[in-house]
Amino acid sequence: MKNDNYLKDIGHIKDMMNRSSRFISLSGVSGIFAGCYAIIGGLFTYYYLFPKPHEQLNYGSTKFFEIVLIALLVLVLSIATAIFLTSRKAKKHNAKIWDITTYRLVINFLIPLVTGGIYIILKLNSQHYGLTASLMLIFYGLALVNASKYTIGNIKYLGIAEIILGLICAAFPGYGFWFWMIGFGLFHIIYGSIMFVEEKKASHWES
């Protein structure tokens, strides 16, 4: 009996140490919102900003600038929603959200993401547009996998899925927009929904 209690204490201590070195998992609802933002922004871009069959989207043109603004708006809304909902989740669990672990997570996430962003801009400046969506998915996936070791949850698998989708997208460059919609829209909604269900199960067991 004493040995069982001893092993339980060891397991509890290990769990506490593991959680203290990892950022609390992102809110599942924030993932759903991010996916919805991406789909709404993508559909708006497709119907109102995409060039017609006889037109060409040139780097530096007004339409290109507007598309970039839509993408940035989706990014800002997604980040703001994630920070708000995850902060609320952290307070509910009496956990700190801004500490050394958060700093490490952000740095490990930004290194592949910023590198990919700079590389994509260089390719666009050289008027190589075909693999833009593929590169965005791949570098985003790498950023998620790289940051996953500092967060609780299954964000690594979302990253792997994004990388695989990006590689498939590279084989079908003419369908890059739709792969982008699947990766940043549908995949986020699926991931967020799974996380939301797990959060509900966890809160049920805690209560």
Side-chain angles (χ1 to χ4, degrees):
M1 192 71 179
K2 289 183 178 180
N3 288 336
D4 289 341
N5 291 333
Y6 178 72
L7 290 173
K8 286 181 181 179
D9 291 340
I10 293 282
H12 182 64
I13 292 170
K14 287 177 67 177
D15 183 63
M16 288 179 61
M17 290 177 66
N18 181 53
R19 287 181 174 270
S20 67
S21 64
R22 286 172 176 255
F23 180 76
I24 188 171
S25 62
L26 298 175
S27 167
V29 178
S30 67
I32 296 173
F33 271 107
C36 291
Y37 295 149
I39 290 175
I40 293 170
L43 290 176
F44 180 86
T45 300
Y46 181 77
Y47 285 108
Y48 295 103
L49 298 177
F50 254 37
K52 294 178 174 58
H54 62 277
E55 294 178 341
Q56 188 175 0
L57 184 64
N58 295 318
Y59 178 75
S61 65
T62 302
K63 279 193 174 181
F64 182 87
F65 180 71
E66 290 173 345
I67 290 173
V68 171
L69 281 181
I70 294 294
L72 289 175
L73 179 60
V74 169
L75 178 64
V76 170
L77 284 174
S78 298
I79 292 174
T81 303
I83 291 174
F84 173 75
L85 292 177
T86 304
S87 298
R88 192 172 68 174
K89 180 181 176 182
K91 288 179 181 178
K92 183 179 177 181
H93 290 83
N94 295 319
K96 291 183 179 180
I97 187 169
W98 300 114
D99 54 16
I100 188 63
T101 305
T102 312
Y103 172 78
R104 289 171 180 167
L105 181 145
V106 172
I107 292 299
N108 278 270
F109 179 75
L110 286 179
I111 289 174
L113 198 68
V114 172
T115 302
I118 294 171
Y119 181 70
I120 290 170
I121 291 172
L122 292 174
K123 298 298 287 183
L124 289 174
N125 194 40
S126 302
Q127 298 188 5
H128 293 103
Y129 306 111
L131 295 177
T132 301
S134 173
L135 291 171
M136 290 176 71
L137 290 166
I138 291 171
F139 279 105
Y140 176 62
L142 290 172
L144 291 177
V145 172
N146 200 44
S148 64
K149 55 183 173 287
Y150 294 106
T151 181
I152 301 168
N154 298 320
I155 198 171
K156 176 176 69 175
Y157 300 107
L158 174 62
I160 293 172
E162 299 283 0
I163 293 170
I164 293 172
L165 186 67
L167 293 173
I168 297 172
C169 177
F172 303 95
Y175 299 92
F177 171 79
W178 301 109
F179 280 103
W180 187 95
M181 289 278 282
I182 292 171
F184 291 101
L186 183 61
F187 277 16
H188 274 110
I189 292 174
I190 293 173
Y191 171 78
S193 300
I194 293 172
M195 289 299 300
F196 179 74
V197 171
E198 290 183 354
E199 289 166 10
K200 286 296 182 182
K201 286 181 180 179
S203 62
H204 174 73
W205 285 111
E206 286 175 2
S207 60

